[in-house]
Amino acid sequence: MKTSYCDIGIIGCGEAGIFATYELARLNPGLKILVCEQGADIYNRHCPIVAGKVKECIHCKTCDTMCGFGGAGAFSDGKFNFTTQFGGWLTDFMDEKTVMDLIEYVDSINMRFGATDKRFTTASKAAQELEKVALQNDLHLLQASCKHLGTENNLVVLTNIYENLKNKAEFRFRTPVHHIERTENGYAMILDDERIECRYLIAGPGRSGAEWFSNECKSMGLKLINNQVDVGVRVELPAKVFEHITDVVYESKLVYRTKQYGDSVRTFCMNPYGHVVTEAVEGINTVNGHSYSDPSLRSENTNFALLVSNRFTEPFDEPYRYGKHIASLSNMLAGGVLVQRFGDLVKGIRTNEHRLQQSYVKPTLTAAVPGDLSLALPKRQLDDIIEMIYALDKIAPGTANYDTLLYGAEVKFYSSRLDLSGELETKMPGFFAMGDGAGVTRGLAQAGASGIRVARVIAQREKNNN
């Protein structure tokens, strides 16, 4: 096996990997940086569903929706949230001001490469009125400002960043890392037919690499801390139902604590006039959503996720596998994503093709198969979701309409988090972990911020050593 060398090895080219590469190249252009990514570059990421060649997932060997330059966020609608209240746990490692400064810096880079300067904010008078109405109905609107890049504009920004970076670091696409090893002088990434040794190793495996990364860390003797498991559905309804909310706060994060179980349920990934889509993670089809900034590409519906957060104690130590198992049940029943009318779910009857055709809400994900979510999702989570829908109906009348569509399952896969320092360094010196797949973030803003943080730490150490 051939052996190669570099100063810094980066696993994953999602948001965290991109911004770590950007900042390292800016602060110390003399470093030899090698980025390994199992997916394609930004020009060669082609999902057959998005291209209209097929109606449902055909389980490509490497999912171009989830993997490649830009990671899972490349084909998202590009919501960039300025907050520490959601989107990750970086405040577990550093103070809030530091995190917000990092987020603002990431945004400034995005703007340099074409991102919008328009922000939606919960600080406006209209948003404060919305917050008051939500509180009156036991719902809590989390404070944040948000930018909506749009699915098509998000790709433009990423393409511009790639053009800027492609000659400042070595990118190896379609190159999965199979194993990580510790060496006398650092670490080694084991590829198909090559061993790459580096002084620093930065892991940003993304959601698609989360389970692999957890297993590699266990084999190296690194302690893992369980993160929460988020399980739920994607709701689709007429855009007019939520218009008074999405026009004020594009990405409204509403949290509710259920009366029956005391569980936390939240809205997530709000897509006004958007489309419901599928995404594949290691052979499992889950549901997601996106929306365009171009009015001509919009639908008449709004979609958003309702997620129930669960935390487990020992001996449970595999949140990723738990989420995959739940998603696989809906796949087993529907051959992919399952859809059910809310009214049918409450009545305890299965939605079939005939009932779905009668619905006033027309599904934007036409490949979804009508069925019964109660056969796929655990009863507790389903009870929580139903209670949340009735709560939302009080501030957005029409949410609990019979024809509101529920797609399942929506599962957010996060790795068990490593025991990390405030610099996002593992117990092994020079080995860092960042982004969603490492369990420290769950969104574009904080993922990018984690990459900047790690890059600055390494750059400072290099400066001190010289």
Side-chain angles (χ1 to χ4, degrees), residues 394-448:
K394 295 175 182 177
I395 66 168
T399 304
N401 282 356
Y402 198 107
D403 287 340
T404 291
L405 300 178
L406 307 180
Y407 298 83
E410 177 137 352
V411 181
K412 295 307 175 190
F413 298 106
Y414 307 110
S415 170
S416 293
R417 186 198 302 171
L418 281 166
D419 187 3
L420 301 174
S421 72
E423 296 179 327
L424 303 183
E425 188 173 26
T426 71
K427 294 297 182 181
M428 294 181 175
F431 179 19
F432 298 82
M434 59 186 185
D436 288 20
V440 296
T441 68
R442 58 180 184 198
L444 297 179
Q446 288 203 37

Side-chain angles (χ1 to χ4, degrees), residues 6-18:
C6 64
D7 295 308
I8 301 172
I10 299 178
I11 301 173
C13 205
E15 195 81 355
I18 289 169

Side-chain angles (χ1 to χ4, degrees), residues 177-453:
V177 176
H178 298 300
H179 297 292
I180 302 168
E181 293 180 1
R182 194 169 187 180
T183 67
E184 183 178 347
N185 298 313
Y187 300 88
M189 300 183 292
I190 311 302
L191 312 181
D192 285 328
D193 56 0
E194 187 176 1
R195 173 188 178 89
I196 300 174
E197 295 193 7
C198 51
R199 293 188 292 119
Y200 298 96
L201 179 63
I202 306 174
R207 283 187 280 155
S208 62
E211 187 173 25
W212 167 83
F213 184 59
S214 290
N215 291 333
E216 287 296 301
C217 291
K218 288 177 184 177
S219 70
M220 296 173 77
L222 290 169
K223 181 182 177 182
L224 295 170
I225 304 168
N226 286 333
N227 268 359
Q228 67 193 50
V229 182
D230 295 341
V231 176
V233 300
R234 183 152 292 265
V235 180
E236 185 169 42
L237 38 64
K240 291 183 181 301
V241 173
F242 261 76
E243 230 170 23
H244 64 293
I245 295 175
T246 56
D247 283 355
V248 174
V249 185
Y250 188 91
E251 172 73 337
S252 56
K253 297 282 189 180
L254 291 155
V255 180
Y256 175 74
R257 189 166 298 281
T258 63
K259 304 298 182 291
Q260 185 173 2
Y261 300 111
D263 293 336
S264 176
V265 190
R266 72 183 192 280
T267 61
F268 180 82
C269 188
M270 187 81 63
N271 294 291
Y273 317 101
H275 298 263
V276 179
V277 297
T278 59
E279 62 181 25
V281 181
E282 297 179 5
I284 302 294
N285 286 335
T286 59
V287 64
N288 210 326
H290 64 72
S291 57
Y292 297 96
S293 59
D294 184 348
S296 68
L297 299 174
R298 293 175 178 175
S299 77
E300 296 181 354
N301 296 342
T302 284
N303 70 74
F304 56 89
L306 289 181
L307 297 177
V308 183
S309 298
N310 300 276
R311 289 188 180 274
F312 297 87
T313 56
E314 294 182 349
F316 179 86
D317 65 352
E318 296 184 286
Y320 191 92
R321 284 189 62 193
Y322 176 80
K324 279 183 67 176
H325 176 72
I326 291 176
S328 69
L329 291 177
S330 65
N331 286 191
M332 185 186 301
L333 292 167
V337 173
L338 190 154
V339 62
Q340 186 172 22
R341 295 191 300 175
F342 178 66
D344 289 341
L345 175 64
V346 172
K347 288 180 67 176
I349 61 176
R350 173 179 171 270
T351 298
N352 55 27
E353 287 285 356
H354 175 69
R355 294 190 179 101
L356 188 61
Q357 288 174 2
Q358 291 180 322
S359 176
Y360 287 109
V361 183
K362 301 304 177 185
T364 55
L365 180 59
T366 56
V369 177
D372 188 350
L373 286 166
S374 68
L375 298 176
L377 270 67
K379 180 180 184 298
R380 178 168 179 154
Q381 280 93 332
L382 214 49
D383 287 346
D384 287 336
I385 288 165
I386 291 171
E387 189 176 331
M388 172 61 152
I389 287 174
Y390 282 125
L392 288 173
D393 194 67
K394 295 175 182 177
I395 66 168
T399 304
N401 282 356
Y402 198 107
D403 287 340
T404 291
L405 300 178
L406 307 180
Y407 298 83
E410 177 137 352
V411 181
K412 295 307 175 190
F413 298 106
Y414 307 110
S415 170
S416 293
R417 186 198 302 171
L418 281 166
D419 187 3
L420 301 174
S421 72
E423 296 179 327
L424 303 183
E425 188 173 26
T426 71
K427 294 297 182 181
M428 294 181 175
F431 179 19
F432 298 82
M434 59 186 185
D436 288 20
V440 296
T441 68
R442 58 180 184 198
L444 297 179
Q446 288 203 37
S450 71
I452 297 293
R453 172 68 168 179

Side-chain angles (χ1 to χ4, degrees), residues 49-109:
I49 298 176
V50 175
K53 295 180 180 179
V54 296
K55 290 187 176 181
E56 57 189 53
C57 181
I58 57 174
H59 302 293
C60 301
K61 183 178 179 180
T62 300
C63 177
D64 273 354
T65 300
M66 298 296 294
C67 305
F69 189 90
F75 290 106
S76 74
D77 69 328
K79 294 190 197 70
F80 193 94
N81 292 299
F82 299 81
T83 183
T84 59
Q85 290 197 36
F86 53 86
W89 300 270
L90 285 185
T91 50
D92 290 355
F93 306 99
M94 57 201 90
D95 62 75
E96 184 175 352
K97 183 180 183 304
T98 299
V99 176
M100 289 305 299
D101 287 346
L102 289 169
I103 289 173
E104 290 287 353
Y105 178 69
V106 172
D107 177 60
S108 71
I109 297 169

